Amino acid sequence: HHKTPVASVTFGCDAQTLVSGAGDGMIHIWDLGGRSAPRSIQAFAKSKAVSCLCVSREGHLVAASGLTFQGVFDYLLVGNVPGNRHDQIGVWDLSTGTRREFWEAHQGPIAAITVTQDGAKVVTVSHDGSVGIWDITSGRMLGLFRGHSRGVTSLALEADDARAVSGSLDGTLRVWQLSQAGTGAGRVAHNDRVVGLGVFSDDHTAVSASRDGTIKLWNLATGKETACLTGDNQQISSIAMVPGQA
């Protein structure tokens, strides 16, 4: 078990493996079928949390380092973390735990990470306000997009990886053409920070969740809101989509 609070979790592609990352830079790999004992990777320094995780179809485990929980609080509310700090991204073989690549990225805590369907690129968003694209085998930066006025908190890719959707502390959503440089098309979506995003399998509709207590659906072609779901005025902290159900 982890000795510090768990900061991130994801499933392997076979849904029989669970990967968790903690505030001390440690990653645990769990066999949900009980066929093997949990394995551990000291992914980052003990002063860095494993802020987000992703597993590619090729079985590569991709993880990003971030600040400790107290450090995130200081960064977002106090602003006393140096602006030239860099977080790190690592790639491991999920089956063996062997590290394949490691590089520095962004100038603020990395909030979300994913891998393109072809397994060739890593896409990240950061509290420094940027969206980054990286070569998974070399760590080379392929693109860096800016447009949000505050930190970027959430990320989703279309199924064909043509576009990425990002959400921010400023309540906006932006849609980026990953093959083109420039500022992504954006709009004010919520009255508070965006905490989660998803793209439906038809690549035409995105869903966003916010701390303002709303979940909204968006037409990606027009940028227009198509539905708004509200509960009992409680804050929303996360959202998940069930594969194959939309």
Side-chain angles (χ1 to χ4, degrees):
H1 65 278
H2 288 288
K3 297 180 179 179
T4 59
V6 175
S8 52
V9 65
T10 191
F11 281 103
C13 294
D14 60 1
Q16 294 300 306
T17 303
L18 184 71
V19 185
S20 56
D24 58 359
M26 183 70 74
I27 292 174
H28 284 184
I29 302 170
W30 312 85
D31 182 351
L32 299 181
R35 296 162 297 183
S36 60
R39 292 177 287 127
S40 300
I41 301 172
Q42 186 65 57
F44 305 107
K46 292 184 178 181
S47 61
K48 287 180 172 287
V50 182
S51 61
C52 42
L53 293 162
C54 181
V55 175
S56 74
R57 288 186 172 182
E58 289 73 23
H60 292 153
L61 168 62
V62 183
S65 72
L67 299 169
T68 62
F69 291 106
Q70 181 61 44
V72 170
F73 178 86
D74 290 343
Y75 185 92
L76 296 179
L77 300 183
V78 184
N80 64 352
V81 177
N84 62 352
R85 67 179 304 280
H86 287 80
D87 278 314
Q88 297 163 321
I89 297 171
V91 181
W92 291 263
D93 186 302
L94 186 60
S95 61
T96 65
T98 303
R99 193 174 79 183
R100 303 174 64 93
E101 193 55 62
F102 201 77
W103 67 91
E104 290 190 338
H106 294 289
Q107 294 183 345
I110 297 171
I113 193 167
T114 191
V115 179
T116 55
Q117 293 291 328
D118 61 8
K121 302 179 185 70
V122 177
V123 185
T124 55
V125 297
S126 168
H127 284 288
D128 67 6
S130 67
V131 178
I133 309 174
W134 319 85
D135 184 282
I136 198 171
T137 60
S138 67
R140 181 171 62 92
M141 186 175 69
L142 304 176
L144 191 69
F145 304 92
R146 293 188 180 275
H148 291 288
S149 63
R150 297 183 64 191
V152 190
T153 58
S154 46
L155 169 70
L157 297 185
E158 291 182 336
D160 62 2
D161 297 326
R163 295 185 295 182
V165 184
S166 60
S168 171
L169 293 172
D170 61 15
T172 65
L173 300 181
R174 285 192 176 272
V175 181
W176 313 87
Q177 295 284 346
L178 295 185
S179 61
Q180 301 175 9
T183 301
R187 61 158 297 138
V188 176
H190 294 278
N191 296 322
D192 205 333
R193 68 184 60 181
V194 179
V195 297
L197 284 172
V199 175
F200 286 84
S201 56
D202 62 5
D203 283 348
H204 301 311
T205 305
V207 57
S208 63
S210 170
R211 208 172 65 165
D212 67 8
T214 63
I215 298 172
K216 295 184 178 183
L217 301 182
W218 306 89
N219 184 307
L220 288 175
T222 64
K224 293 183 178 180
E225 178 185 327
T226 59
C228 179
L229 310 177
T230 58
D232 52 2
N233 296 319
Q234 297 296 311
Q235 291 183 352
I236 297 171
S237 59
S238 60
I239 189 172
M241 299 177 67
V242 179
Q245 299 300 306

